[in-house]
Amino acid sequence: MSSTRQLKYSKLIQKELSDIFQRDKRGILENTFITVADVRVSADLGVAKIYISMLLAKEKQKTMDNINKHKSEIRKALGDRIGKQVRVIPELIFYLDEVEENAQKMDDLIKSLNIPPADKP
């Protein structure tokens, strides 16, 4: 169960990271459109788990490797933005969020089923 403080902190991080990824000046993302789907912060606010969604991306693992390689730069950019609002800039752990993709696959499977209409009595 997350506290109100954790929820506020995670929403702040989500908003700022989304903005950082949109304005990617360092070329980390190589023109890949990334959405920060969710952020979960530990109870001590020292670790943030960031779930990233990449729709229409061809090489997701390469992009994730690139993000993890530049994790310290992303954390510094986050610190520059929220440093005056928080005491500690959390350690960032990035995960690939595939919920939307899996939902789309399931939706496509359901649509492809050939189910005859039920007989009415």
Side-chain angles (χ1 to χ4, degrees):
M1 195 72 181
S2 298
S3 69
T4 306
R5 186 174 181 202
Q6 284 173 289
L7 292 173
K8 285 181 181 179
Y9 200 63
S10 65
K11 291 299 175 194
L12 175 67
I13 292 171
Q14 183 176 8
K15 177 186 170 296
E16 295 300 334
L17 277 178
S18 295
D19 198 40
I20 288 168
F21 287 148
Q22 263 185 352
R23 304 179 199 284
D24 179 32
K25 295 175 186 147
R26 297 165 190 85
I28 296 169
L29 305 176
E30 300 172 353
N31 296 326
T32 304
F33 182 72
I34 288 182
T35 305
V36 178
D38 192 22
V39 175
R40 295 185 185 155
V41 181
S42 64
D44 67 350
L45 307 177
V47 177
K49 296 179 181 178
I50 294 102
Y51 294 87
I52 294 177
S53 175
M54 291 182 246
L55 293 176
L56 307 172
K58 293 181 178 106
E59 298 178 359
K60 294 181 182 186
Q61 192 55 49
K62 181 182 174 191
T63 304
M64 283 301 293
D65 291 343
N66 214 4
I67 288 172
N68 283 318
K69 188 167 69 174
H70 295 280
K71 192 186 298 190
S72 61
E73 293 175 41
I74 296 169
R75 186 175 182 212
K76 173 148 181 14
L78 180 65
D80 291 344
R81 289 170 167 261
I82 67 171
K84 292 192 166 75
Q85 300 172 40
V86 298
R87 290 183 186 178
V88 177
I89 307 303
E91 175 189 345
L92 305 177
I93 302 172
F94 293 98
Y95 295 97
L96 186 59
D97 184 45
E98 296 178 337
V99 173
E100 289 180 35
E101 260 181 40
N102 292 339
Q104 183 64 40
K105 286 179 187 175
M106 288 176 63
D107 196 36
D108 291 343
L109 277 171
I110 291 170
K111 286 179 183 177
S112 70
L113 294 175
N114 187 9
I115 302 172
D119 293 333
K120 294 184 181 178

